[in-house]
Amino acid sequence: MRLTTKGRYAVTAMIDLAMNQSLGPVSLKSISVNQGISLSYLEQLFAKMKRKNLVVGARGPGGGYVLARDVDSISIADIILAVDEPLDITECEGEENCHDGKRCLTHDLWSELTDQLHVFLRGIRLGELMRRSGIDQARNSGPAVRLARSDGHRVGLPE
């Protein structure tokens, strides 16, 4: 199993959203600029996360996204699984047909590792990850990208 950019970018985008939603809905363009992630890629990720009730969209001027739940109720596993990122170490995706259609000799090992990965990522909450990384403090220091909406209201990181 290898975590692809889909899962990594989804977690990064959710941290950015959590950091900036106190100013109101956060535009995907703002996240794109802040994190260097393609806008079209973010649109795909957020559509999936919206379907899984991790984010809520707001339309119109000043629209964007906010978290659907508190940062301490969203696990990293919730985010990764929402964007269809598999969290399975087995070659067979749990089907037990990994060796010429039959169960391989190490299937139980990889299956148990998959279970541990789920436990680990379910145990880490978005808020905890932010606190652990010092993001709450970091966002209040240093330069930040700000974007102006058409109505003149500025969005993005605090100045």
Side-chain angles (χ1 to χ4, degrees):
M1 178 240 151
R2 181 170 181 259
L3 188 61
T4 66
T5 56
K6 206 177 351 178
R8 292 175 191 273
Y9 284 175
V11 172
T12 300
M14 288 290 278
I15 290 172
D16 189 291
L17 176 62
M19 286 171 43
N20 295 304
Q21 70 177 1
S22 64
L23 300 170
V26 178
S27 73
L28 293 183
K29 184 173 183 176
S30 176
I31 296 171
S32 174
V33 170
N34 290 343
Q35 303 306 322
I37 302 171
S38 138
L39 182 58
S40 62
Y41 203 60
L42 285 171
E43 288 169 346
Q44 294 171 34
L45 295 176
F46 273 76
K48 290 178 179 188
M49 290 190 289
K50 184 176 178 183
R51 282 193 294 274
K52 297 294 184 175
N53 299 314
L54 294 179
V55 297
V56 175
R59 296 179 181 259
Y65 289 89
V66 294
L67 295 177
R69 304 189 315 242
D70 181 73
V71 292
D72 290 314
S73 69
I74 298 174
S75 76
I76 301 307
D78 292 338
I79 298 167
I80 293 170
L81 292 170
V83 296
D84 301 324
E85 185 72 35
L87 290 175
D88 191 344
I89 306 297
T90 64
E91 289 283 321
C92 62
E93 298 179 1
E95 297 294 318
E96 298 187 19
N97 60 358
C98 26
H99 183 68
D100 295 328
K102 297 178 189 130
R103 189 171 197 232
C104 71
L105 297 174
T106 57
H107 180 83
D108 287 341
L109 171 68
W110 305 128
S111 183
E112 288 176 31
L113 182 56
T114 295
D115 293 343
Q116 290 300 312
L117 180 60
H118 278 266
V119 168
F120 176 74
L121 292 175
R122 285 211 182 284
I124 300 172
R125 303 296 171 171
L126 187 59
E128 177 189 348
L129 181 61
M130 293 171 64
R131 288 186 293 276
R132 211 192 277 177
S133 301
I135 292 172
D136 283 336
Q137 295 79 31
R139 71 178 174 162
N140 293 322
S141 62
V145 173
R146 305 275 302 171
L147 298 174
R149 298 188 319 214
S150 58
D151 64 359
H153 183 264
R154 299 186 33 104
V155 296
L157 295 172
E159 293 181 324

